[in-house]
Protein backbone atom coordinates (compact mmCIF):
# COMPACT_ATOMS: atom_id res chain seq x y z
CA UNK A 1 0.00 0.00 0.00
CA UNK A 2 1.02 3.60 -0.24
CA UNK A 3 -0.16 6.60 1.65
CA UNK A 4 0.74 10.14 2.52
CA UNK A 5 0.63 11.80 5.91
CA UNK A 6 1.46 15.12 7.45
CA UNK A 7 2.38 13.82 10.87
CA UNK A 8 5.36 11.92 12.19
CA UNK A 9 4.09 11.01 15.63
CA UNK A 10 5.89 14.09 16.98
CA UNK A 11 4.07 17.37 16.41
CA UNK A 12 5.94 19.40 13.78
CA UNK A 13 6.97 22.96 14.56
CA UNK A 14 5.53 26.10 13.09
CA UNK A 15 8.39 27.07 10.78
CA UNK A 16 7.33 27.56 7.15
CA UNK A 17 10.74 26.54 5.77
CA UNK A 18 10.50 23.76 3.19
CA UNK A 19 13.73 21.82 3.67
CA UNK A 20 14.50 18.09 3.76
CA UNK A 21 13.80 16.59 7.15
CA UNK A 22 16.29 15.45 9.69
CA UNK A 23 15.12 12.39 11.65
CA UNK A 24 16.44 11.61 15.11
CA UNK A 25 15.39 8.51 17.06
CA UNK A 26 16.30 8.32 20.73
CA UNK A 27 15.64 5.24 22.83
CA UNK A 28 12.72 4.12 20.67
CA UNK A 29 11.08 1.11 22.29
CA UNK A 30 7.95 -0.58 20.94
CA UNK A 31 6.02 -3.55 22.27
CA UNK A 32 2.70 -5.22 21.49
CA UNK A 33 1.38 -6.74 24.68
CA UNK A 34 4.24 -8.76 26.17
CA UNK A 35 6.07 -8.95 22.83
CA UNK A 36 9.01 -6.53 22.73
CA UNK A 37 9.66 -5.65 19.08
CA UNK A 38 12.10 -2.70 19.18
CA UNK A 39 14.32 -1.92 22.16
CA UNK A 40 16.15 1.33 22.87
CA UNK A 41 16.78 2.13 19.19
CA UNK A 42 18.72 5.35 18.57
CA UNK A 43 19.58 6.67 15.12
CA UNK A 44 20.32 9.99 13.41
CA UNK A 45 19.45 10.55 9.75
CA UNK A 46 20.77 13.74 8.20
CA UNK A 47 18.84 15.96 5.83
CA UNK A 48 18.88 14.62 2.29
CA UNK A 49 20.22 11.18 3.20
CA UNK A 50 18.93 7.98 1.61
CA UNK A 51 19.00 5.41 4.39
CA UNK A 52 18.11 1.75 3.94
CA UNK A 53 17.30 -0.61 6.80
CA UNK A 54 17.83 -4.37 6.88
CA UNK A 55 17.78 -7.09 9.52
CA UNK A 56 16.45 -10.55 10.33
CA UNK A 57 12.70 -11.12 9.96
CA UNK A 58 10.78 -9.82 12.94
CA UNK A 59 13.46 -7.35 14.06
CA UNK A 60 11.11 -4.36 13.92
CA UNK A 61 12.07 -2.62 10.66
CA UNK A 62 8.50 -1.89 9.58
CA UNK A 63 7.49 -1.20 13.18
CA UNK A 64 10.18 1.49 13.37
CA UNK A 65 8.80 3.21 10.27
CA UNK A 66 5.27 2.98 11.65
CA UNK A 67 6.43 4.58 14.91
CA UNK A 68 8.06 7.45 13.01
CA UNK A 69 4.85 7.96 11.00
CA UNK A 70 2.72 7.97 14.16
CA UNK A 71 0.68 4.95 13.09
CA UNK A 72 0.95 2.86 16.27
CA UNK A 73 -1.21 4.93 18.59
CA UNK A 74 -4.42 3.22 17.49
CA UNK A 75 -2.99 -0.32 17.49
CA UNK A 76 -4.51 -2.29 20.40
CA UNK A 77 -1.94 -3.29 23.01
CA UNK A 78 0.88 -1.20 21.55
CA UNK A 79 3.25 0.68 23.82
CA UNK A 80 5.74 3.20 22.44
CA UNK A 81 8.40 5.07 24.39
CA UNK A 82 11.40 7.16 23.43
CA UNK A 83 11.35 9.93 20.85
CA UNK A 84 11.13 10.21 17.08
CA UNK A 85 11.91 13.83 16.29
CA UNK A 86 11.81 15.31 12.81
CA UNK A 87 12.44 18.82 11.52
CA UNK A 88 9.97 21.67 11.61
CA UNK A 89 7.14 21.97 9.05
CA UNK A 90 7.91 18.55 7.61
CA UNK A 91 5.69 16.81 5.09
CA UNK A 92 5.89 13.05 5.44
CA UNK A 93 4.91 10.47 2.84
CA UNK A 94 4.76 6.71 3.39
CA UNK A 95 4.89 4.00 0.70
CA UNK A 96 3.80 0.63 2.05
CA UNK A 97 4.51 -2.87 0.74
CA UNK A 98 1.47 -2.75 -1.55
CA UNK A 99 -0.04 0.25 -3.26
CA UNK A 100 -3.16 1.87 -1.82
CA UNK A 101 -4.51 3.41 -5.00
CA UNK A 102 -8.16 4.39 -4.97
CA UNK A 103 -9.81 1.67 -7.10
CA UNK A 104 -12.59 3.95 -8.32
CA UNK A 105 -10.19 6.69 -9.45
CA UNK A 106 -8.05 6.87 -12.58
CA UNK A 107 -4.27 7.03 -12.42
CA UNK A 108 -4.54 10.77 -13.06
CA UNK A 109 -6.99 11.34 -10.24
CA UNK A 110 -4.99 9.17 -7.84
CA UNK A 111 -1.98 11.42 -8.34
CA UNK A 112 -4.12 14.53 -8.04
CA UNK A 113 -5.00 13.41 -4.50
CA UNK A 114 -1.39 14.01 -3.49
CA UNK A 115 -1.40 17.45 -5.13
CA UNK A 116 -4.65 18.32 -3.36
CA UNK A 117 -3.16 17.37 0.03
CA UNK A 118 -0.19 19.60 -0.80
CA UNK A 119 -2.58 22.54 -1.18
CA UNK A 120 -2.40 22.88 -4.96
CA UNK A 121 -5.36 24.56 -6.64
CA UNK A 122 -7.88 22.42 -8.54
CA UNK A 123 -6.95 24.06 -11.85
CA UNK A 124 -3.25 23.20 -11.45
CA UNK A 125 -3.64 19.57 -10.36
CA UNK A 126 -4.28 17.86 -13.73
CA UNK A 127 -1.15 19.25 -15.37
CA UNK A 128 0.95 18.44 -12.31
CA UNK A 129 -0.39 14.88 -12.16
CA UNK A 130 0.37 14.25 -15.83
CA UNK A 131 3.85 15.73 -15.42
CA UNK A 132 4.63 13.40 -12.52
CA UNK A 133 3.22 10.33 -14.26
CA UNK A 134 5.50 11.07 -17.21
CA UNK A 135 8.37 11.64 -14.78
CA UNK A 136 8.07 8.10 -13.40
CA UNK A 137 7.92 6.64 -16.91
CA UNK A 138 4.16 6.39 -17.46
CA UNK A 139 2.79 7.87 -20.68
CA UNK A 140 -0.77 7.74 -21.96
CA UNK A 141 -2.25 5.86 -18.99
CA UNK A 142 -3.86 8.82 -17.26
CA UNK A 143 -7.42 7.51 -17.79
CA UNK A 144 -6.75 3.92 -16.74
CA UNK A 145 -8.01 2.50 -13.46
CA UNK A 146 -5.79 0.54 -11.06
CA UNK A 147 -7.20 -2.83 -12.13
CA UNK A 148 -6.08 -2.03 -15.69
CA UNK A 149 -2.45 -1.52 -14.63
CA UNK A 150 0.36 -3.98 -13.92
CA UNK A 151 1.93 -4.19 -10.47
CA UNK A 152 4.91 -2.14 -11.59
CA UNK A 153 2.69 0.51 -13.15
CA UNK A 154 0.61 0.77 -9.97
CA UNK A 155 3.75 1.27 -7.92
CA UNK A 156 4.82 4.05 -10.31
CA UNK A 157 1.44 5.75 -9.89
CA UNK A 158 1.81 5.38 -6.13
CA UNK A 159 5.27 6.95 -6.30
CA UNK A 160 3.95 9.83 -8.44
CA UNK A 161 1.15 10.45 -5.93
CA UNK A 162 3.63 10.62 -3.05
CA UNK A 163 5.80 13.06 -5.02
CA UNK A 164 2.74 15.21 -5.76
CA UNK A 165 2.47 15.73 -2.01
CA UNK A 166 6.00 17.23 -2.13
CA UNK A 167 7.30 15.41 0.96
CA UNK A 168 10.45 16.29 2.83
CA UNK A 169 10.67 12.87 4.45
CA UNK A 170 9.73 9.76 2.45
CA UNK A 171 9.33 6.43 4.25
CA UNK A 172 9.22 3.28 2.10
CA UNK A 173 8.41 -0.19 3.44
CA UNK A 174 9.48 -2.75 0.82
CA UNK A 175 7.58 -0.99 -1.98
CA UNK A 176 9.17 -3.17 -4.69
CA UNK A 177 9.03 -6.51 -2.89
CA UNK A 178 6.28 -8.04 -5.05
CA UNK A 179 7.74 -6.99 -8.40
CA UNK A 180 9.76 -9.00 -10.91
CA UNK A 181 13.53 -8.49 -10.97
CA UNK A 182 13.63 -6.28 -14.08
CA UNK A 183 10.80 -3.98 -12.96
CA UNK A 184 12.29 -3.81 -9.49
CA UNK A 185 15.68 -2.68 -10.79
CA UNK A 186 14.04 -0.18 -13.13
CA UNK A 187 12.13 1.38 -10.23
CA UNK A 188 15.27 1.39 -8.08
CA UNK A 189 16.95 3.51 -10.75
CA UNK A 190 13.92 5.78 -10.98
CA UNK A 191 13.89 6.24 -7.21
CA UNK A 192 17.60 7.11 -7.25
CA UNK A 193 16.98 9.68 -9.99
CA UNK A 194 14.14 11.26 -8.02
CA UNK A 195 16.23 11.36 -4.85
CA UNK A 196 19.13 12.99 -6.71
CA UNK A 197 16.79 15.61 -8.18
CA UNK A 198 14.85 16.44 -5.01
CA UNK A 199 17.39 15.59 -2.26
CA UNK A 200 14.49 14.68 0.01
CA UNK A 201 15.27 12.46 2.99
CA UNK A 202 14.39 8.82 2.28
CA UNK A 203 14.24 5.81 4.60
CA UNK A 204 13.59 2.45 2.95
CA UNK A 205 13.08 -0.94 4.61
CA UNK A 206 13.96 -4.02 2.57
CA UNK A 207 14.84 -7.71 2.87
CA UNK A 208 16.88 -7.44 -0.34
CA UNK A 209 20.51 -6.84 0.66
CA UNK A 210 21.53 -5.82 -2.87
CA UNK A 211 18.71 -3.28 -2.97
CA UNK A 212 19.80 -1.89 0.40
CA UNK A 213 23.39 -1.46 -0.82
CA UNK A 214 22.38 0.04 -4.18
CA UNK A 215 19.98 2.63 -2.78
CA UNK A 216 21.37 3.60 0.59
CA UNK A 217 23.96 6.24 1.31
CA UNK A 218 24.12 4.22 4.49
CA UNK A 219 22.67 0.85 5.45
CA UNK A 220 21.35 0.43 8.99
CA UNK A 221 21.56 -3.18 10.16
CA UNK A 222 19.17 -4.10 12.96
CA UNK A 223 19.82 -6.97 15.33
CA UNK A 224 17.40 -9.85 15.68
CA UNK A 225 14.26 -9.50 17.79
CA UNK A 226 14.07 -7.14 19.60
CA UNK A 227 15.46 -4.71 17.06
CA UNK A 228 18.43 -2.52 17.92
CA UNK A 229 21.03 -0.84 15.73
CA UNK A 230 23.77 -3.45 15.25
CA UNK A 231 25.83 -1.79 12.54
CA UNK A 232 25.79 1.11 10.07
CA UNK A 233 27.41 0.60 6.66
CA UNK A 234 28.62 3.76 4.92
CA UNK A 235 28.00 3.86 1.16
CA UNK A 236 28.73 7.50 0.43
CA UNK A 237 31.52 6.44 -1.93
CA UNK A 238 28.84 5.34 -4.42
CA UNK A 239 28.11 9.01 -5.14
CA UNK A 240 24.71 10.54 -5.89
CA UNK A 241 24.29 9.56 -9.54
CA UNK A 242 24.48 5.78 -9.89
CA UNK A 243 22.75 2.95 -11.74
CA UNK A 244 21.67 -0.24 -10.00
CA UNK A 245 22.83 -2.58 -12.78
CA UNK A 246 26.26 -0.95 -13.01
CA UNK A 247 26.86 -0.74 -9.29
CA UNK A 248 26.08 -4.43 -8.74
CA UNK A 249 29.05 -5.47 -10.89
CA UNK A 250 31.70 -3.53 -8.95
CA UNK A 251 34.13 -5.64 -6.88
CA UNK A 252 33.71 -3.34 -3.88
CA UNK A 253 29.93 -3.79 -4.07
CA UNK A 254 30.24 -7.57 -4.19
CA UNK A 255 32.56 -7.52 -1.17
CA UNK A 256 30.15 -5.34 0.82
CA UNK A 257 27.33 -7.69 -0.12
CA UNK A 258 29.30 -10.71 1.11
CA UNK A 259 30.10 -9.06 4.44
CA UNK A 260 26.51 -7.87 4.91
CA UNK A 261 25.15 -11.33 4.07
CA UNK A 262 27.50 -12.97 6.59
CA UNK A 263 26.43 -10.45 9.24
CA UNK A 264 22.75 -11.24 8.72
CA UNK A 265 23.46 -14.99 8.91
CA UNK A 266 25.32 -14.52 12.19
CA UNK A 267 22.54 -12.39 13.66
CA UNK A 268 19.91 -14.95 12.68
CA UNK A 269 21.93 -17.85 14.12
CA UNK A 270 22.53 -15.98 17.38
CA UNK A 271 18.82 -15.31 17.67
CA UNK A 272 17.95 -18.98 17.14
CA UNK A 273 20.45 -20.05 19.81
CA UNK A 274 18.98 -17.60 22.31
CA UNK A 275 15.46 -18.94 21.66
CA UNK A 276 16.65 -22.54 22.07
CA UNK A 277 18.63 -21.82 25.26
Amino acid sequence: MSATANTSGVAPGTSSARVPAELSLRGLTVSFGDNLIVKDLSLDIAKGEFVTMVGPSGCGKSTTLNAVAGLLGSVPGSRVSGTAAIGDAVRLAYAFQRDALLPWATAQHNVEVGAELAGMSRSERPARAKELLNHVGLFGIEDRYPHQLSGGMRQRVSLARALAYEPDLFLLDEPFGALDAFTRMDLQNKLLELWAETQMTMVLVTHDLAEALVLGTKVVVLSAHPGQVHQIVDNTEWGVERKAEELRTRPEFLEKYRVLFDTLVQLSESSRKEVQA
Side-chain angles (χ1 to χ4, degrees):
M1 296 190 300
S2 175
T4 56
N6 59 6
T7 177
S8 66
V10 177
T14 58
S15 169
S16 61
R18 300 283 289 119
V19 296
E22 180 181 49
L23 172 62
S24 181
L25 305 179
R26 286 291 176 270
L28 181 66
T29 299
V30 181
S31 60
F32 299 108
D34 296 329
N35 191 8
L36 182 62
I37 305 299
V38 177
K39 180 181 179 182
D40 196 27
L41 192 153
S42 295
L43 177 67
D44 288 320
I45 297 175
K47 297 176 182 179
E49 274 194 306
F50 196 145
V51 174
T52 54
M53 190 177 295
V54 298
S57 294
C59 71
K61 300 182 295 294
S62 297
T63 299
T64 298
L65 291 193
N66 290 338
V68 171
L71 300 180
L72 298 181
S74 61
V75 178
S78 66
R79 294 195 302 274
V80 182
S81 61
T83 61
I86 62 175
D88 292 343
V90 165
R91 286 179 177 172
L92 185 152
Y94 198 154
F96 296 92
Q97 295 179 18
R98 300 178 65 181
D99 68 81
L101 299 179
L102 303 175
W104 59 84
T106 63
Q108 169 101 12
H109 289 151
N110 265 285
V111 178
E112 287 184 27
V113 169
E116 180 180 2
L117 290 173
M120 184 173 289
S121 67
R122 183 184 297 271
S123 62
E124 295 176 305
R125 292 174 206 161
R128 179 59 173 160
K130 185 173 182 179
E131 175 188 5
L132 287 171
L133 286 171
N134 292 347
H135 200 53
V136 298
L138 293 176
F139 302 89
I141 57 88
E142 294 86 357
D143 295 330
R144 296 188 193 179
Y145 290 88
H147 72 274
Q148 298 173 311
L149 303 173
S150 68
M153 294 170 77
R154 289 196 299 271
Q155 285 292 8
R156 290 173 191 265
V157 174
S158 179
L159 181 59
R161 181 175 64 181
L163 293 171
Y165 183 60
E166 298 182 353
D168 303 299
L169 175 61
F170 195 5
L171 308 179
L172 304 101
D173 187 4
E174 295 195 77
F176 310 142
L179 304 178
D180 64 87
F182 178 82
T183 301
R184 185 175 188 139
M185 191 175 297
D186 188 38
L187 284 175
Q188 288 170 1
N189 283 329
K190 180 55 65 177
L191 192 60
L192 283 172
E193 291 174 7
L194 293 169
W195 170 70
E197 292 171 6
T198 64
Q199 282 295 285
M200 72 177 69
T201 306
M202 294 189 179
V203 185
L204 181 141
V205 160
T206 180
H207 284 286
D208 186 332
L209 302 187
E211 180 172 78
L213 287 169
V214 164
L215 295 177
T217 53
K218 67 183 180 186
V219 180
V220 176
V221 182
L222 297 189
S223 62
H225 179 274
Q228 296 176 299
V229 176
H230 173 78
Q231 179 184 10
I232 296 178
V233 180
D234 181 24
N235 287 334
T236 51
E237 72 268 25
W238 297 158
V240 174
E241 296 185 4
R242 54 189 184 271
K243 292 291 186 180
E245 63 276 14
E246 184 274 331
L247 188 57
R248 289 172 186 245
T249 64
R250 295 185 190 178
E252 59 269 34
F253 177 90
L254 298 175
E255 176 60 18
K256 279 195 171 186
Y257 182 93
R258 183 191 65 78
V259 172
L260 188 57
F261 179 85
D262 290 344
T263 298
L264 266 293
V265 169
Q266 292 170 9
L267 289 172
S268 297
E269 289 179 349
S270 297
S271 178
R272 282 195 295 268
K273 290 178 180 178
E274 290 178 4
V275 172
Q276 295 170 357

